[in-house]
Amino acid sequence: MGLQTKIALFPPRRLNCPLRCRCVSQISTHGNTMKDTDIKRLLYTHLLCIFSIILSVFIPSFFLENFSILETHLTWLCICSAFVTAVNLLLYLVVKPTASSKKSSLSHKITRFLKCCIYFLMSCFSFHIIFVLYGAPLIELVLETFLFAVILSTFTTVPCLCLLGPNLKAWLRVFSRNGVTSIWENSLQITTISSFVGTWLGALPIPLDWERPWQVWPISCTLGATFGYVAGLVISPLWIYWNRKQLTYKNN
Amino acid sequence: MRLGSGTFAACCVAIEVLGTAVFLRGFFPAPVRSSARTEHKEPPAPEPSAGASSNWTKLPPPLFSKVVIVLIDALRDDFVFGAKGVKFMPYTTYLVEKGAAHSFVAEAKPPTVTMPRIKALMTGSLPGFVDVVRNLNSPALLEDNVIKQAKAAGKRIIFYGDETWVKLFPKHFVEYDGTTSFFVSDYTEVDNNVTRHLDKVLKRGDWDILILHYLGLDHIGHISGPYSPLIGRKLSEMDSVLMKIHTALLSKERESSLPNLLVLCGDHGMSETGSHGASSTEEVNTPLVLISTAFERRPGDTRLPKHVQQTDLAATLAIGLGLPIPKDSVGSFLFPIVEGKSMREQLRFLHLNTVQLSKLLQENVPSYAKDPGFEQFKMSEKLHGNWIKLYLEENHSEVLFNLGTKVLRQYLDAMKILSLSLSTQVAQYDLYSMVVGTVMVVEVLTLLLLSIPQALCRKAQLEVPLSSPVFSLLFYLMFLVLSAVHVIVCTSAESSCYFCSLSWLAAGAVMLLISALLCAIVSALTKVFMDGSFLSKSPAHPDSRWSELDLLILFGTLGHVVSLGASSFVEEEHQTWYFLVNTLCLALSQEIYRSYFLGDSCEPQCHFPMDQGFDSLAPALQDRTGGGVSEHDKVHEGPSPFELLRGHERWMVLASPWLILTCCRLLRSLNQTGVQWAHRPDLGHWLTSSDHKAELSILAALSLLIIFVLVQRGCSSVSKAALALGLLGVYCYRAAIGNVLFPWQQGNRDISKGIIEARFVYVFVLGILFTGTKDLLKSQVLAADRKTKTGNSNNIATVDISAGFVGLDTYVEIPAMFLTAFGTYAGPVLWASHLVHFLSSQTSSSSALSHACFCYALICSIPVSTYIIFVTSLRYHLFIWSVFSPKLLYEGMHLLITAAICVFFTAMDQTSLTKS
């Protein structure tokens, strides 16, 4: 049953991938070329994501007066999160549009979409709770903290939802050791972890007494998350390309 | 020689304690002191003269007949000169702006704590940092000071106020009434006890100096901070007191020929949170207002208060009262008070002060002749002599006046430079002792690091090679070289050096120790290299044995150590701890969830020694946060007994990281410390404020009840009853203190609050540990153990903090969790005992205890040695006194505690070995 649902939820291309990877040992040249095209595609999508983030910095200044990342930080957060979500959805629809068209009905799609929304909101709230547990102020600056949670969810949860769907088991599998089954999941793992690490590192300069404008809560953390995400986007294709010989994905 | 790793670690830590002690002795410099301790009266320096001898060799006569010093504790400069002063102290503001007064902003040097400040005000010297530690039981002041001089000159001194003065000057006052600063919550009675004497005393005229020390403002600051509405009321009260004194002095003045002087000053300021001790601008700047009819004020002359040093007051008072300036004073007197005098007198005063300063410089700085201040002094003295010659020749011309002003300016410059170079003299470090201490500590650390693979192997034993002949040769050579260095350094040293002043035997012993350690390191290194070439052939990859959690802990520890190099991180160290603990908890929960949902049993169970190592690493990480140590213990238990757990226990395990996180968050808001976020409202204050007494008592009762419920499991009925009675007693004690002794209540409640909460969390976490591991066999022993421990800490902390409110503990707030309130390191000890119990209850691991001991030593010595190196390299940092040195003291104390714990562990290990 579990396997059934997994297959149903996975886009066919992704279903092919494990099979392909299993073949690597047998027909190595063929597998390598397939893998190379996949890596290329991965690189392009990631570049698009980075481009969207860069756009979110520059485009609003044409429409909004006095826009700057530090001063109107919240606006930037909203815009950046919207851009990244849009690009992710677009990529999901363009690169793997045949995901659920085969089997699932419209109602299934809608419930899936709603589920995704609920998951996104839940992740926002749980991130918010974790920030508060980490010491973010409970009552004051609620909006700031929540928007920070939103942007972190955008960097982590939205790609997960796009790729894996609202399937907690798959998520846990991807983020456990030796659990990845494709390049896409591998890159997802890397970007998510690097966004978290970036956020974590972004909190470090807060106690320093330099009195810089970017030390204000939560700017350093959001910037850290963004940089971490971008770094993950850059690193993951490179890393996968570098290790393409060693990477064999087993379908378990 | 074979040693158990526990014994080895204990020895290492003991040596490290010794090294740290030597380092500390070198680091905290001896204050600048005049060596002339003899009681005999030196004749005052005569007026310099060129050729013709001056006839003025006696001290100049006093400028004022009566002096009243009103010292208001924690009076910040903006309370008088700022908006608050205008609003609440109208009379003082009038005097400052229009009246015959000179106003200054006196800068206090850190530590801004009352007793060193009083000493600075009265002796004019800069008390060393070590004086803070002695703040609480202040012994009599032995140095030369204004009070002593005044007593010797037959002045009658009356004192009302903080009894620190009475302790500092035990037999100097003809009349005194000391108020205690112990009851921090009382801010009316302390001051009324001072003011009630005023009317009587002011009516009488049989005194020369009256000193009033008002504590109320400081207490208000400690209770509710500088923005409290109470501050305004207190300032108005102080203003009325000042007005009363001033009018009385004015009416007195008609009877005497000389004017009177009224001094208003503060000993230290008040930080934005209402505490003091560090070196922020608010804490350092205090107002100093000198009021006397002798000061004439030209109309329209609105000067901004000038910045001066607090130490200047001693010299000023001495000159004002016609006394010799205290020998150790590094201050220069406030020149405006003699502005109305004749040129000759002005020059005479300046000369007296510079002579005193240059004498002090000669005694403390070997190369004094090169000091620019001293050169300037010599030059101006010569000019002064010329001026006197001209003056005595009755040459009252323009030339004389011009020369006079030139001499005056030169004197003022010389005084400023001398004073400055003397104050920087305080920051002279005894580098040789510091180096010796550092070398010892670093050697021990290297030894510990090198012996990790040996000490953490299953046998937990290691070879200490001491007797091989090659190394004995090296050892003797090393010893000879070190002795030679010692002789060279000590004979050529210009400044005083503690290590040189040690007896030859002790110094020799230290040398022996250092060379022995070095030899041990060398032998260990060779062994490692030989083994290393052997090991590299074996296919074992050490990296694969590190799980993410171990890596996290390792990097957390390293990151924490590195962060100690930044002053802000030292100030906010508790934030680092919270951050790391939260991360650890989250990682743990992730691990638990993963193993729960996926049954992921790929966790290699074989890396036993490392696990043990990190088991004991965790308490070191958490010893101040009291968060998730049990969690870590549990995780290693986690994977295997998962299937055995029943349903609700499984949920408990899953929920426990979140519970611990929530507890951490609650604790964090319980007491906001540190510097940057200290102004945040904290739960502790909310609870201790008198309107929430009901909630507080309910919470206290509830937590005691929970303790009982959690602990009583597995106890016999007798111990159960004893426990219940004990807890009841705790509550009653608290209630009694809260009710009977009213002034005690808030301070005490605050502490007991922290302790209850601490205990609550301890027991809570412990309970989770128990449910997680089903390890209830020895809970009885443990319960008793914990009971005595927390009981002890309770009492100690109660005593400590009530006093500490004004003293040490508010100041040294660096590792500032609420556990600092314990001050006595009950936390680590408690955790260590838990660890002992936990490890000893594990039958499988016979060498676990010595492993734990070793890791404990390692984990403690890494920060200590790194910190020592940091501090040495940052010794000219701006915040070295206010931020780094308290932390250094804390680290030293922590090391001592660790040494005790290690010895205890080893003893436990030995007994268990002999038993089995």
Side-chain angles (χ1 to χ4, degrees):
Chain A
M1 179 58 202
L3 195 67
Q4 285 277 316
T5 48
K6 214 185 278 178
I7 289 168
L9 293 174
F10 281 8
R13 196 183 296 275
R14 299 227 21 274
L15 192 64
N16 286 343
C17 175
L19 297 175
R20 230 178 24 236
C21 297
R22 238 184 334 180
C23 300
V24 164
S25 52
Q26 292 153 13
I27 321 158
S28 61
T29 50
H30 179 65
N32 267 349
T33 50
M34 290 296 280
K35 210 184 231 175
D36 282 350
T37 53
D38 249 14
I39 291 173
K40 225 173 249 171
R41 196 178 290 158
L42 185 77
L43 183 67
Y44 291 145
T45 54
H46 281 189
L47 285 180
L48 208 61
C49 284
I50 296 172
F51 189 61
S52 78
I53 289 178
I54 295 172
L55 278 188
S56 78
V57 176
F58 289 111
I59 284 196
S61 54
F62 295 121
F63 302 105
L64 299 170
E65 276 177 39
N66 303 328
F67 177 83
S68 78
I69 291 187
L70 294 186
E71 273 144 46
T72 52
H73 191 67
L74 297 186
T75 333
W76 177 72
L77 281 186
C78 298
I79 292 168
C80 180
S81 138
F83 269 54
V84 171
T85 316
V87 166
N88 265 306
L89 285 175
L90 197 75
L91 286 176
Y92 166 68
L93 292 173
V94 168
V95 180
K96 291 158 284 194
T98 51
S100 45
S101 58
K102 259 191 202 166
K103 254 190 167 179
S104 51
S105 58
L106 187 70
S107 67
H108 186 246
K109 267 188 201 165
I110 288 172
T111 48
R112 209 184 127 151
F113 180 72
L114 285 178
K115 242 185 175 177
C116 283
C117 289
I118 289 168
Y119 269 55
F120 179 73
L121 275 181
M122 269 170 62
S123 89
C124 288
F125 282 117
S126 54
F127 277 137
H128 190 114
I129 289 168
I130 287 172
F131 296 152
V132 169
L133 287 178
Y134 258 95
L138 185 65
I139 296 159
E140 41 200 297
L141 301 175
V142 171
L143 188 66
E144 279 85 349
T145 313
F146 187 73
L147 281 178
F148 173 32
V150 167
I151 197 142
L152 191 58
S153 314
T154 315
F155 291 151
T156 56
T157 319
V158 168
C160 284
L161 284 171
C162 286
L163 200 62
L164 305 173
N167 179 355
L168 265 185
K169 276 249 164 76
W171 291 27
L172 275 169
R173 176 180 56 79
V174 168
F175 290 108
S176 59
R177 209 180 272 171
N178 307 328
V180 277
T181 53
S182 75
I183 292 174
W184 298 94
E185 287 182 1
N186 211 333
S187 78
L188 182 71
Q189 201 181 20
I190 291 171
T191 49
T192 310
I193 287 172
S194 67
S195 330
F196 282 135
V197 170
T199 316
W200 194 83
L201 291 176
L204 295 186
I206 294 178
L208 291 171
D209 56 357
W210 300 342
E211 317 241 323
R212 294 297 151 94
W214 48 265
Q215 279 183 301
V216 180
W217 172 259
I219 295 179
S220 65
C221 285
T222 50
L223 291 184
T226 316
F227 285 125
Y229 180 58
V230 170
L233 289 178
V234 172
I235 287 168
S236 62
L238 295 179
W239 190 82
I240 290 167
Y241 182 73
W242 209 257
N243 294 314
R244 65 188 185 283
K245 294 274 160 54
Q246 284 88 37
L247 288 175
T248 48
Y249 301 109
K250 53 178 191 266
N251 186 18
N252 55 349
Chain B
M1 190 166 69
R2 287 196 81 78
L3 272 179
S5 54
T7 326
F8 175 71
C11 292
C12 281
V13 176
I15 296 172
E16 213 163 359
V17 167
L18 191 68
T20 315
V22 172
F23 178 84
L24 284 179
R25 186 57 187 76
F27 184 73
F28 292 110
V32 172
R33 290 285 176 265
S34 164
S35 58
R37 293 235 160 267
T38 43
E39 288 297 308
H40 76 265
K41 282 244 162 56
E42 291 173 48
E47 214 170 18
S49 52
S53 64
S54 157
N55 52 357
W56 197 10
T57 51
K58 271 192 286 181
L59 266 182
L63 304 173
F64 307 105
S65 70
K66 286 192 194 318
V67 172
V68 180
I69 302 171
V70 181
L71 201 164
I72 300 173
D73 215 292
L75 188 66
R76 199 157 99 170
D77 61 336
D78 67 321
F79 287 171
V80 176
F81 304 133
K84 278 215 172 90
V86 175
K87 192 170 168 200
F88 299 112
M89 302 187 84
Y91 189 74
T92 318
T93 312
Y94 165 75
L95 285 178
V96 164
E97 280 174 0
K98 306 252 161 52
H102 291 296
S103 48
F104 307 92
V105 174
E107 192 182 311
K109 284 267 187 290
T112 46
V113 187
T114 298
M115 194 192 69
R117 282 351 317 145
I118 294 175
K119 281 187 181 175
L121 282 171
M122 288 300 122
T123 63
S125 65
L126 294 168
F129 185 81
V130 183
D131 280 340
V132 189
V133 185
R134 288 154 56 192
N135 188 2
L136 293 178
N137 51 345
S138 46
L141 188 58
L142 296 172
E143 299 147 32
D144 194 9
N145 58 65
V146 177
I147 304 283
K148 199 169 160 186
Q149 297 282 4
K151 177 98 188 325
K155 307 265 183 196
R156 287 149 300 170
I157 312 166
I158 294 181
F159 171 75
Y160 300 116
D162 188 357
E163 61 179 359
T164 315
W165 286 76
V166 183
K167 285 179 194 153
L168 280 176
F169 310 104
K171 282 174 189 157
H172 296 70
F173 304 124
V174 290
E175 194 181 314
Y176 61 84
D177 181 16
T179 56
T180 172
S181 55
F182 201 65
F183 306 118
V184 179
S185 51
D186 163 39
Y187 50 84
T188 38
E189 280 298 311
V190 256
D191 288 355
N192 288 344
N193 279 342
V194 178
T195 314
R196 65 183 168 154
H197 301 285
L198 264 188
D199 286 325
K200 210 167 40 172
V201 167
L202 288 175
K203 222 169 274 166
R204 284 168 16 202
D206 58 342
W207 48 269
D208 301 298
I209 302 172
L210 172 65
I211 302 171
L212 307 169
H213 187 150
Y214 282 100
L215 283 170
L217 190 66
D218 184 49
H219 288 190
I220 292 175
H222 280 297
I223 295 167
S224 50
Y227 300 110
S228 151
L230 294 171
I231 295 270
R233 255 180 275 158
K234 183 53 79 181
L235 288 179
S236 318
E237 183 193 329
M238 291 296 116
D239 196 44
S240 64
V241 166
L242 218 68
M243 185 161 84
K244 187 190 278 176
I245 297 169
H246 192 227
T247 42
L249 283 182
L250 283 181
S251 65
K252 276 255 160 34
E253 226 159 70
R254 290 178 208 120
E255 301 155 18
S256 64
S257 54
L258 280 173
N260 296 325
L261 176 67
L262 170 58
V263 180
L264 168 70
C265 60
D267 57 345
H268 49 75
M270 185 188 288
S271 71
E272 290 298 296
T273 55
S275 69
H276 54 87
S279 58
S280 68
T281 332
E282 291 84 12
E283 285 159 278
V284 162
N285 284 347
T286 62
L288 173 60
V289 184
L290 305 174
I291 305 160
S292 171
T293 46
F295 308 144
E296 57 215 53
R297 193 70 167 268
R298 273 152 278 150
D301 181 13
T302 48
R303 293 164 282 194
L304 279 174
K306 231 174 59 180
H307 274 262
V308 295
Q309 294 296 316
Q310 204 176 32
T311 42
D312 296 348
L313 184 66
T316 313
L317 281 179
I319 280 175
L321 288 164
L323 306 167
I325 299 170
K327 282 197 217 82
D328 302 329
S329 163
V330 298
S332 49
F333 82 101
L334 301 169
F335 185 70
I337 65 158
V338 295
E339 255 170 1
K341 296 283 162 188
S342 72
M343 178 70 82
R344 190 180 179 187
E345 278 171 296
Q346 288 183 14
L347 289 180
R348 175 93 170 110
F349 287 129
L350 284 168
H351 179 244
L352 278 176
N353 200 343
T354 27
V355 164
Q356 176 262 329
L357 285 175
S358 60
K359 253 190 202 156
L360 194 63
L361 190 78
Q362 282 182 35
E363 280 161 6
N364 282 290
V365 184
S367 55
Y368 64 91
K370 278 173 242 145
D371 192 277
F374 192 76
E375 281 167 9
Q376 183 115 4
F377 159 68
K378 281 291 166 209
M379 212 154 66
S380 30
E381 198 174 32
K382 210 183 282 164
L383 268 182
H384 189 186
N386 288 338
W387 188 87
I388 296 289
K389 199 171 150 203
L390 276 180
Y391 179 82
L392 290 178
E393 284 163 6
E394 309 277 323
N395 187 354
H396 294 281
S397 69
E398 191 79 0
V399 184
L400 188 73
F401 179 76
N402 284 343
L403 185 65
T405 36
K406 194 181 169 199
V407 177
L408 201 97
R409 237 180 293 124
Q410 282 212 347
Y411 263 134
L412 283 175
D413 278 352
M415 213 156 72
K416 204 191 277 169
I417 299 169
L418 279 174
S419 172
L420 198 71
S421 57
L422 276 170
S423 351
T424 50
Q425 189 62 31
V426 174
Q428 282 285 329
Y429 299 102
D430 176 4
L431 264 184
Y432 182 50
S433 314
M434 278 162 73
V435 166
V436 170
T438 315
V439 164
M440 279 169 82
V441 171
V442 169
E443 276 185 344
V444 170
L445 178 70
T446 325
L447 202 59
L448 278 174
L449 284 176
L450 282 177
S451 54
I452 284 177
Q454 267 192 319
L456 287 186
C457 71
R458 211 167 273 275
K459 271 184 293 182
Q461 279 189 335
L462 67 160
E463 195 85 27
V464 182
L466 285 179
S467 51
S468 99
V470 182
F471 290 123
S472 65
L473 182 65
L474 181 70
F475 169 73
Y476 290 126
L477 268 177
M478 201 56 219
F479 179 59
L480 275 179
V481 168
L482 283 178
S483 317
V485 166
H486 183 70
V487 169
I488 289 170
V489 167
C490 288
T491 47
S492 66
E494 289 168 338
S495 52
S496 66
C497 165
Y498 170 71
F499 199 62
C500 292
S501 62
L502 275 179
S503 74
W504 276 98
L505 216 61
V510 172
M511 299 281 161
L512 275 177
L513 205 62
I514 290 178
S515 32
L517 279 174
L518 194 78
C519 293
I521 286 173
V522 169
S523 67
L525 260 181
T526 49
K527 192 182 253 175
V528 163
F529 275 119
M530 277 152 76
D531 290 0
S533 55
F534 167 71
L535 262 182
S536 60
K537 286 169 200 153
S538 65
H541 286 292
D543 300 22
S544 62
R545 311 199 316 188
W546 294 71
S547 71
E548 291 101 332
L549 221 58
D550 297 342
L551 277 178
L552 181 68
I553 290 174
L554 188 74
F555 280 113
T557 315
L558 287 182
H560 168 240
V561 165
V562 170
S563 79
L564 289 180
S567 63
S568 331
F569 277 125
V570 175
E571 273 172 347
E572 308 282 340
E573 202 195 341
H574 55 290
Q575 305 281 4
T576 317
W577 286 113
Y578 286 128
F579 199 63
L580 290 178
V581 166
N582 273 352
T583 312
L584 189 66
C585 271
L586 280 180
L588 279 171
S589 69
Q590 190 252 0
E591 192 122 329
I592 290 174
Y593 277 62
R594 187 200 290 167
S595 56
Y596 176 66
F597 282 115
L598 294 179
D600 176 19
S601 60
C602 62
E603 192 77 9
Q605 297 284 330
C606 54
H607 54 266
F608 169 66
M610 276 303 171
D611 267 5
Q612 280 307 334
F614 287 107
D615 250 357
S616 57
L617 203 149
L621 202 68
Q622 263 112 35
D623 52 6
R624 284 170 211 156
T625 339
V629 68
S630 61
E631 265 321 280
H632 193 73
D633 291 344
K634 196 177 63 189
V635 137
H636 293 286
E637 287 292 298
S640 48
F642 247 122
E643 288 77 52
L644 307 173
L645 293 180
R646 289 191 301 278
H648 72 277
E649 281 180 344
R650 187 182 294 191
W651 283 113
M652 198 78 175
V653 168
L654 287 181
S656 53
W658 300 103
L659 275 175
I660 286 170
L661 280 176
T662 322
C663 282
C664 277
R665 185 68 178 87
L666 275 178
L667 285 178
R668 183 195 278 236
S669 59
L670 196 66
N671 195 356
Q672 304 276 4
T673 41
V675 175
Q676 282 192 40
W677 293 282
H679 60 276
R680 290 258 172 86
D682 54 356
L683 219 59
H685 271 233
W686 184 81
L687 277 168
T688 44
S689 64
S690 50
D691 348 339
H692 304 290
K693 213 171 156 188
E695 285 95 324
L696 180 66
S697 20
I698 288 170
L699 202 65
L702 207 68
S703 40
L704 285 173
L705 204 69
I706 289 172
I707 294 175
F708 179 71
V709 170
L710 283 172
V711 169
Q712 54 95 25
R713 256 196 274 181
C715 290
S716 70
S717 56
V718 178
S719 59
K720 238 185 245 182
L723 186 69
L725 278 178
L727 291 178
L728 207 66
V730 169
Y731 189 76
C732 289
Y733 163 74
R734 213 152 276 144
I737 281 178
N739 296 335
V740 177
L741 285 174
F742 180 72
W744 276 61
Q745 187 200 327
Q746 284 197 357
N748 200 350
R749 280 256 155 169
D750 199 353
I751 306 130
S752 42
K753 184 79 214 63
I755 287 163
I756 289 170
E757 282 299 299
R759 211 185 281 181
F760 173 65
V761 173
Y762 281 150
V763 173
F764 203 68
V765 171
L766 205 80
I768 299 169
L769 171 75
F770 282 159
T771 51
T773 58
K774 295 198 287 182
D775 191 357
L776 277 163
L777 292 172
K778 288 186 184 169
S779 75
Q780 200 175 345
V781 181
L782 191 68
D785 187 31
R786 184 181 56 238
K787 194 71 202 74
T788 51
K789 285 243 159 63
T790 42
N792 275 342
S793 70
N794 188 5
N795 293 336
I796 293 168
T798 314
V799 174
D800 218 29
I801 281 303
S802 319
F805 242 103
V806 279
L808 183 65
D809 277 12
T810 39
Y811 176 46
V812 195
E813 56 193 3
I814 304 305
M817 259 288 301
F818 82 98
L819 273 182
T820 324
F822 277 33
T824 47
Y825 283 87
V829 173
L830 203 64
W831 282 114
S833 66
H834 287 181
L835 191 73
V836 168
H837 166 70
F838 180 70
L839 291 180
S840 59
S841 65
Q842 273 186 322
T843 45
S844 57
S845 53
S846 58
S847 55
L849 259 178
S850 46
H851 283 155
C853 177
F854 184 80
C855 288
Y856 213 68
L858 191 65
I859 290 309
C860 177
S861 58
I862 288 176
V864 168
S865 37
T866 324
Y867 195 67
I868 279 181
I869 294 169
F870 272 140
V871 160
T872 315
S873 57
L874 292 173
R875 63 189 181 280
Y876 296 117
H877 193 277
L878 184 61
F879 296 142
I880 189 75
W881 291 114
S882 53
V883 176
F884 289 109
S885 9
K887 172 68 185 155
L888 186 66
L889 282 182
Y890 254 93
E891 284 292 337
M893 193 62 205
H894 188 199
L895 190 71
L896 200 66
I897 299 286
T898 312
I901 288 172
C902 277
V903 169
F904 177 65
F905 270 35
T906 317
M908 286 280 291
D909 201 23
Q910 295 297 329
T911 50
S912 66
L913 274 183
T914 48
K915 245 187 244 171
S916 61

